[in-house]
Amino acid sequence: MLEEHAKIVQFITLAGEVTGRKKLQKMVYIAKKMNFPFQEKYQFHMYGPYSEELTLRVEELCNMAFLSEKKEDKGSYVQYTYSCTEEGSQFLSTMEGNHPKLDLCIERLNNKSSRFLEMVSTLLYFDHLERAEQVEKLHVVKGKLNFTETEIEEAFAFIKDLQLCIQA
Amino acid sequence: MVSYATQKLAEEKVFKDPVHRYIHVRDQVIWDLIGAREFQRLRRIKQLGTTYLVFHGAEHSRFNHSLGVYEVVRRIIDDIFTGRPEWDESERLVVLCAALLHDLGHGPFSHSFEHVFDLDHEKFTQAILLGDTEVNAILKRVAPEFPQHVSDVIAKTYGNKQAVSLISSQIDADRMDYLQRDAYFTGVSYGHFDMERILRVMRPREDQVVIKQSGMHAVEDYIMSRYQMYWQVYFHPVSRSAEVILTKALHRAKELSENGYKFAYEPRHFKTFFDRTFSLADYIALDEGIVMTYFQEWVHEEDEILADLCDRFVNRRLFQYIEFDPAKDYRKLSELEQLFKKAGINPAYYLVFDSSSDLPYDFYRPGEEGERVPIHLLMPNDELRELSRSSEIVEAISGKRRTDHKLYFPEDLLKDDTKKKAVKKQILQLLYGQA
């Protein structure tokens, strides 16, 4: 009954630690696009695909003390880091569910910056379009971020690698 | 020759409306869209889903609301923005169409239906706008790329963010219409605010719509109205109970179909959703009348769970609920599941955990990781100031989420002591904490 909560606790447990709310949003979105069964609904927002449901779920899990949220003042902004608590591990042990290859996916995502994941998730949001149209859309909605050709190439290569590693 | 995009009706048409008094239509395109079958379908989908089982007046449709959002946007751009240098008049029609069509993809009892069949109404809105539909044919007459532009405004992926923010932001036409409309039809006294005042002080800026500082108190009232409507109407625990039952009935029908159950009343309209082979036409063919017909027929099904859940929904025999703190009580949940099984009551259908949560207003300051564009006040010196920095009332509720957890169950079955009396007693003790 709390399976969706458990999936997020498991996700963060596998990641060890996730730094940045935006990064966590994008990581779960990309994992979802790689067909891992996350139920949170996403819509397009300021930073690309964003799930209000995931924000809520994470807040609930912090309130339940299954996740720990560490706040760090970076001067002009606050950064949040998420990790699983002892209580969270106990909760997870009462739940079933293990998704092969999810750990590999999470490891690759967690090694990337949130700017890079923002680009990848935006490209994936438009993956029903042809590649040239995807790039054009990226420039329209993320014009201010000035993604370079090289970065975009890297993002497409990353998506392909990720798909291959999950299928392997 | 006048193009279709600028063609006006010979005479203005008006719709009488209980919230905005009149909805005014001059554009031929808007008039044609209202007549399209996909738009007319919205008459058969209630705006508030199961809320009518609590507030009996809440029978209004998504058709009413869509016209209302169109009217609010029309007033903003035709009465307030027109002639201002920051407003691009060429965006007028695309924004009006987006306002009118923003909910086009909603299905019957959207929340439950989407959950059970893993669907997304926003994707259906795009599919209707871009697919082989009457709406698409009308939009294409404006320009071949016009349907895509309307779709982009609704999906928030349009280049002009100011246009997007009229329909999707923390103070947009969508919210301003539904708060007032839902308050009117439910009969509650919350949800009212001075929209005329807010519209008068709205100003277009580069990539957003801002509010003149003098309108701050009207905006405070709007935010408080929203806060109250969420807790008094939208998250009402009894309408959530009805929604829980509706969702479980659909789940049961899906499961039965997957297991080859022979329905006495075949779910012809749902078949392609059960096996995920549905087309856009299958989706458009659905409405709440159809869902209710199946539920009324399924009351007589041989499968006891489906028959009981449908009967509960049709005849408003709803589940009871208790407050439930998942952090403290998650172990109790496993225990309850086991006891329900022992009592012969399937917990997958009769024991349901449900959460509701709302964030009344969220602020964002440059560099922070917030996802919501804040409301900005336009100060007399022409600077912009985030609302919660000026309003103590808004500051008090900014970024504060309130969550409500409930556990739903059929109290009548548990109190029926003709069978499994001891285990049912144990369940009731666990639920209510009584000796």
Side-chain angles (χ1 to χ4, degrees):
Chain A
M1 207 165 293
L2 296 169
E3 292 86 356
E4 299 310 317
H5 291 78
K7 283 182 200 169
I8 300 302
V9 177
Q10 186 196 31
F11 189 98
I12 289 172
T13 304
L14 291 172
E17 215 175 57
V18 178
T19 301
R21 287 177 172 176
K22 183 167 73 179
K23 186 168 182 176
L24 178 61
Q25 282 277 344
K26 306 311 169 207
M27 285 173 70
V28 174
Y29 179 74
I30 296 166
K32 194 175 168 178
K33 290 295 279 186
M34 296 294 133
N35 292 323
F36 289 105
F38 293 97
Q39 297 298 316
E40 287 78 11
K41 277 201 171 153
Y42 275 81
Q43 290 185 331
F44 202 85
H45 276 240
M46 203 153 61
Y47 291 115
Y50 168 77
S51 170
E52 181 71 25
E53 287 177 12
L54 177 62
T55 297
L56 167 63
R57 192 96 68 206
V58 170
E59 280 188 21
E60 275 181 20
L61 289 167
C62 291
N63 291 340
M64 292 172 178
F66 294 167
L67 291 183
S68 128
E69 181 186 71
K70 201 169 70 193
K71 249 178 165 179
E72 202 180 338
D73 194 344
K74 292 279 185 185
S76 60
Y77 67 101
V78 178
Q79 193 166 60
Y80 298 86
T81 300
Y82 296 95
S83 58
C84 180
T85 62
E86 183 60 41
E87 186 70 11
S89 301
Q90 278 180 31
F91 164 67
L92 207 52
S93 68
T94 66
M95 306 296 287
E96 289 170 9
N98 192 18
H99 302 289
K101 306 275 175 78
L102 181 60
D103 51 346
L104 283 177
C105 174
I106 291 173
E107 189 188 345
R108 286 180 182 226
L109 294 172
N110 211 8
N111 285 335
K112 293 290 179 186
S113 69
S114 92
R115 173 185 158 91
F116 183 78
L117 296 179
E118 187 176 346
M119 176 172 50
V120 168
S121 59
T122 304
L123 288 171
L124 284 170
Y125 192 80
F126 296 112
D127 64 359
H128 55 286
L129 302 174
E130 295 294 322
R131 184 177 166 133
E133 290 173 316
Q134 270 176 284
V135 173
E136 193 188 320
K137 213 64 191 148
L138 177 75
H139 288 309
V140 169
V141 298
K142 298 278 166 198
K144 287 181 180 168
L145 291 178
N146 296 319
F147 289 119
T148 64
E149 289 288 313
T150 319
E151 282 180 301
I152 295 170
E153 281 301 319
E154 200 189 326
F156 277 115
F158 177 80
I159 293 169
K160 203 174 168 189
D161 274 358
L162 198 58
Q163 285 164 337
L164 287 173
C165 113
I166 290 161
Q167 284 160 10
Chain B
M1 202 181 94
V2 177
S3 76
Y4 184 52
T6 54
Q7 195 180 327
K8 302 291 178 194
L9 299 168
E11 267 193 350
E12 182 179 71
K13 304 275 189 189
V14 290
F15 294 79
K16 195 81 187 82
D17 183 77
V19 176
H20 306 305
R21 291 196 64 236
Y22 287 101
I23 285 157
H24 305 253
V25 180
R26 287 287 318 267
D27 298 87
Q28 184 69 49
V29 176
I30 298 297
W31 183 246
D32 292 346
L33 286 170
I34 292 169
R37 61 190 293 267
E38 298 86 15
F39 190 78
Q40 289 293 317
R41 166 185 165 275
L42 297 178
R43 290 182 186 271
R44 305 189 298 275
I45 294 178
K46 282 192 281 296
Q47 173 71 7
L48 289 181
T50 60
T51 303
Y52 73 99
L53 288 165
V54 180
F55 299 95
H56 65 261
E59 300 262 5
H60 56 303
S61 70
R62 294 205 180 267
F63 179 89
N64 307 169
H65 166 64
S66 299
L67 283 180
V69 178
Y70 153 79
E71 177 64 11
V72 174
V73 170
R74 190 199 65 76
R75 289 183 193 179
I76 295 170
I77 60 186
D78 286 356
D79 300 346
I80 314 292
F81 284 12
T82 190
R84 293 187 183 276
E86 302 89 347
W87 168 245
D88 180 354
E89 205 65 46
S90 70
E91 302 283 18
R92 179 181 176 277
L93 191 61
V94 74
V95 176
L96 286 179
C97 291
L100 185 73
L101 304 174
H102 75 287
D103 271 351
L104 202 56
H106 269 287
F109 302 109
S110 286
H111 193 245
S112 300
F113 203 82
E114 289 180 24
H115 177 73
V116 175
F117 297 110
D118 192 20
L119 306 171
D120 181 352
H121 69 266
E122 299 221 344
K123 289 202 174 118
F124 280 106
T125 299
Q126 289 173 38
I128 296 171
L129 292 171
L130 305 174
D132 181 16
T133 59
E134 288 186 13
V135 162
N136 176 265
I138 293 163
L139 295 174
K140 262 201 304 218
R141 281 182 66 196
V142 174
E145 66 284 4
F146 193 65
Q148 184 65 56
H149 289 176
V150 175
S151 170
D152 286 344
V153 173
I154 296 171
K156 302 187 272 284
T157 56
Y158 193 59
N160 182 337
K161 299 296 174 207
Q162 186 193 73
V164 172
S165 73
L166 280 166
I167 298 157
S168 314
S169 65
Q170 295 202 72
I171 185 157
D172 60 24
D174 184 16
R175 290 180 191 196
M176 283 196 273
D177 182 80
Y178 75 62
L179 289 175
Q180 296 180 91
R181 192 167 300 280
D182 297 343
Y184 177 87
F185 282 101
T186 53
V188 299
S189 58
Y190 340 99
H192 300 288
F193 57 92
D194 190 350
M195 186 182 81
E196 298 296 314
R197 176 77 186 139
I198 293 178
L199 299 194
R200 284 181 63 85
V201 293
M202 280 183 148
R203 293 291 179 270
R205 280 294 176 270
E206 189 197 345
D207 55 1
Q208 60 180 317
V209 175
V210 300
I211 308 286
K212 278 175 72 179
Q213 187 212 17
S214 58
M216 185 181 82
H217 298 296
V219 177
E220 285 176 340
D221 206 19
Y222 154 85
I223 288 175
M224 294 313 288
S225 298
R226 186 181 175 281
Y227 175 80
Q228 288 172 326
M229 281 297 283
Y230 269 78
W231 290 102
Q232 300 295 329
V233 176
Y234 303 137
F235 297 155
H236 196 289
V238 179
S239 71
R240 280 161 59 195
S241 175
E243 196 168 273
V244 158
I245 291 170
L246 174 68
T247 306
K248 289 297 174 187
L250 290 170
H251 262 304
R252 184 64 179 177
K254 183 170 175 245
E255 191 189 25
L256 290 172
S257 174
E258 283 164 0
N259 293 334
Y261 171 81
K262 191 86 188 125
F263 286 85
Y265 192 75
E266 271 296 311
R268 190 168 59 83
H269 288 85
F270 300 143
K271 276 274 182 208
T272 57
F273 292 92
F274 291 150
D275 60 19
R276 294 201 71 77
T277 58
F278 56 86
S279 64
L280 180 58
D282 293 336
Y283 188 76
I284 293 171
L286 291 173
D287 61 34
E288 288 177 3
I290 286 173
V291 173
M292 286 307 289
T293 302
Y294 280 105
F295 275 39
Q296 283 172 329
E297 291 293 333
W298 286 344
V299 164
H300 310 294
E301 282 293 333
E302 204 177 302
D303 180 73
E304 283 180 16
I305 293 178
L306 182 64
D308 177 63
L309 292 171
C310 290
D311 181 59
R312 284 176 186 277
F313 188 73
V314 170
N315 295 311
R316 202 190 179 278
R317 290 192 304 112
L318 304 180
F319 286 173
Q320 190 52 267
Y321 59 88
I322 54 163
E323 300 294 327
F324 185 81
D325 179 353
K328 277 196 329 225
D329 297 330
Y330 71 92
R331 287 189 180 87
K332 191 157 101 181
L333 201 52
S334 316
E335 200 180 336
L336 280 167
E337 281 175 327
Q338 294 309 318
L339 290 171
F340 265 63
K341 283 178 192 164
K342 274 192 199 165
I345 303 171
N346 188 336
Y349 294 101
Y350 288 99
L351 184 65
V352 186
F353 170 68
D354 183 71
S355 295
S356 287
S357 173
D358 180 44
L359 189 58
Y361 172 71
D362 204 5
F363 53 83
Y364 163 82
R365 290 174 185 132
E368 279 191 3
E369 295 177 329
E371 284 281 351
R372 293 167 183 230
V373 179
I375 297 171
H376 278 122
L377 297 177
L378 179 63
M379 307 306 280
N381 63 4
D382 224 31
E383 280 181 4
L384 296 183
R385 193 163 194 212
E386 191 276 313
L387 174 65
S388 69
R389 290 178 187 255
S390 292
S391 163
E392 289 178 7
I393 292 175
V394 174
E395 195 201 7
I397 57 168
S398 284
K400 292 193 177 76
R401 189 181 291 281
R402 191 181 142 191
T403 307
D404 178 60
H405 305 291
K406 298 260 187 292
L407 190 63
Y408 289 90
F409 52 88
E411 188 187 56
D412 52 322
L413 291 186
L414 296 170
K415 287 193 168 166
D416 170 14
D417 58 11
T418 53
K419 276 189 286 186
K420 312 269 185 187
K421 187 175 172 180
V423 70
K424 286 179 181 174
K425 191 177 170 199
Q426 210 181 335
I427 292 173
L428 288 167
Q429 278 171 355
L430 257 181
L431 289 169
Y432 293 123
Q434 293 161 352

